[in-house]
């Protein structure tokens, strides 16, 4: 059975769920946050060490301002209300992506990361203003600046995911089969699961099913 250390998730489908069920995309994001909470709980139960969640891509800035603002207000309230509880549960929060938000949100993110930095049970990597291509370009720029040899080990030092093992599983909900500029380097050997359900509908049973399937896959890593 394959050991499971790291699950990465593209949480897609909030907008469609919200429009269909509540006539509002933002209501879908709110419901999506409930799924985030559920999946954190199951990840703890399953003793998963790293959970990486794609919450906001570099491309998501192109959405209407009202939706972008709503997403960040959800995030702010989530951190204000839940960080103590996450801390108590021995969860470490790490932001991957470029933190160029409002001073208030940047401070809150930094404070939350600092508070939980020594926690060891589960590390949540929240991808915010994250884009894999710009992450890679930045890593190559660093290699060049420091005149370091271009190899996998050196490159990985300059990725946002430095010191984090690569994902074993990538899940994308929302019935769409694409990677949307997410962890393109890091998922080289991940097992990919495309899930028809929209993110707010995704539940413990669906997650467990994927984990069970993953555990029984023969992972060759290029060997036979
Ligand atoms: C993609 O669905 C989802 C997002 C861009 C945002 C993800 C945010 C959450 C799950 C809630 C907030 C999370 C935290 C941690 C505060 P979409 O809007 O692209 O869906 P669509 O494809 O149906 O339009």
């Amino acid at each position: 059975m394959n050991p499971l250390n790291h699950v990465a998730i593209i949480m897609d489908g909030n907008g469609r769920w919200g429009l269909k069920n509540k006539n509002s995309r933002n209501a879908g994001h709110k419901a999506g946050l409930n799924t985030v909470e559920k999946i954190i709980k199951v990840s703890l139960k399953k003793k998963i060490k790293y959970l990486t969640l794609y919450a906001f891509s570099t491309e998501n800035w192109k959405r209407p301002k009202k939706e972008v603002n709503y997403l960040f207000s959800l995030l702010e309230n989530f951190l204000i209300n839940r960080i103590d509880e996450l801390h108590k549960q021995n969860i470490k929060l790490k932001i991957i992506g470029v933190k160029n938000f409002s001073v208030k949100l940047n401070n809150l993110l930094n404070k939350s990361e600092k508070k939980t930095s020594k926690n060891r049970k589960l590390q949540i990597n929240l991808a915010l203003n994250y884009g894999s291509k710009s992450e890679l370009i930045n890593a190559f720029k660093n290699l060049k600046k420091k005149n370091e040899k271009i190899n996998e080990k050196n490159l990985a030092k300059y990725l946002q995911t430095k010191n984090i093992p690569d994902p074993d599983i990538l899940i994308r909900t929302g019935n769409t089969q694409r990677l949307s500029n997410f962890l393109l380097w890091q998922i080289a050997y991940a097992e990919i699961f495309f899930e028809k359900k929209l993110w707010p509908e995704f539940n413990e049973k669906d997650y467990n099913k994927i984990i069970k399937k993953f555990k029984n896959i023969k992972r060759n890593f290029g060997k036979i």
Side-chain angles (χ1 to χ4, degrees):
M1 282 234 274
N2 298 313
L4 178 55
N5 249 324
H6 186 169
V7 177
I9 309 182
I10 301 175
M11 310 181 285
D12 193 20
N14 289 348
R16 277 167 284 163
W17 186 91
L19 279 180
K20 195 173 122 204
N21 294 286
K22 311 259 175 193
N23 206 18
S24 138
R25 289 184 53 85
N26 284 349
H29 294 308
K30 192 168 173 211
L33 186 54
N34 292 334
T35 306
V36 169
E37 302 243 21
K38 271 188 232 156
I39 293 309
I40 293 173
K41 258 193 215 144
V42 184
S43 302
L44 283 169
K45 242 195 316 195
K46 292 277 171 191
K47 300 194 164 50
I48 289 163
K49 286 283 164 202
Y50 299 89
L51 177 65
T52 302
L53 301 173
Y54 205 5
F56 196 86
S57 73
T58 45
E59 290 75 27
N60 286 150
W61 293 109
K62 294 175 197 150
R63 295 188 176 202
K65 205 158 185 268
K66 205 174 134 219
E67 182 167 336
V68 172
N69 288 343
Y70 184 78
L71 276 167
F72 289 125
S73 73
L74 259 188
L75 175 62
E76 260 180 41
N77 289 331
F78 173 72
L79 291 174
I80 291 168
N81 297 322
R82 307 291 289 138
I83 197 67
D84 286 344
E85 184 58 30
L86 295 181
H87 183 48
K88 259 195 225 143
Q89 294 180 90
N90 203 3
I91 293 173
K92 173 176 174 172
L93 180 73
K94 178 169 169 58
I95 307 304
I96 62 168
V98 180
K99 272 184 264 172
N100 65 349
F101 312 108
S102 66
V103 176
K104 188 176 166 214
L105 182 56
N106 278 346
N107 286 341
L108 190 57
L109 292 169
N110 289 334
K111 223 173 87 186
S112 306
E113 283 186 291
K114 197 163 167 221
K115 185 183 179 98
T116 60
S117 66
K118 301 237 158 46
N119 292 342
R120 287 289 167 265
K121 190 154 188 207
L122 168 68
Q123 175 167 332
I124 298 175
N125 306 307
L126 197 58
L128 287 176
N129 192 24
Y130 173 85
S132 193
K133 285 189 176 180
S134 68
E135 177 190 35
L136 282 164
I137 287 170
N138 186 52
F140 280 113
K141 278 187 183 160
N142 271 305
L143 285 175
K144 195 173 164 197
K145 197 163 78 192
K146 307 232 163 98
N147 207 14
E148 288 182 50
K149 203 170 156 196
I150 297 179
N151 59 34
E152 289 187 21
K153 198 166 152 244
N154 284 343
L155 185 93
K157 285 195 303 197
Y158 296 112
L159 296 176
Q160 302 270 331
T161 51
K162 180 185 163 199
N163 295 331
I164 299 170
D166 286 345
D168 300 296
I169 294 181
L170 172 72
I171 300 170
R172 181 180 188 133
T173 59
N175 199 19
T176 307
Q177 304 193 0
R178 56 173 169 257
L179 299 175
S180 301
N181 204 11
F182 189 47
L183 303 175
L184 300 179
W185 174 274
Q186 296 88 338
I187 57 162
Y189 271 102
E191 305 297 333
I192 302 181
F193 294 85
F194 292 110
E195 166 71 43
K196 285 206 170 70
K197 280 192 183 176
L198 305 172
W199 179 246
E201 297 164 339
F202 188 70
N203 59 32
E204 174 163 6
K205 212 168 139 200
D206 304 315
Y207 193 29
N208 282 332
K209 229 197 240 169
I210 290 174
I211 293 172
K212 197 167 162 211
K213 242 193 209 164
F214 163 82
K215 295 226 163 164
N216 292 307
I217 290 173
K218 191 166 175 277
R219 300 185 87 196
N220 290 339
F221 298 101
K223 294 177 287 184
I224 52 168

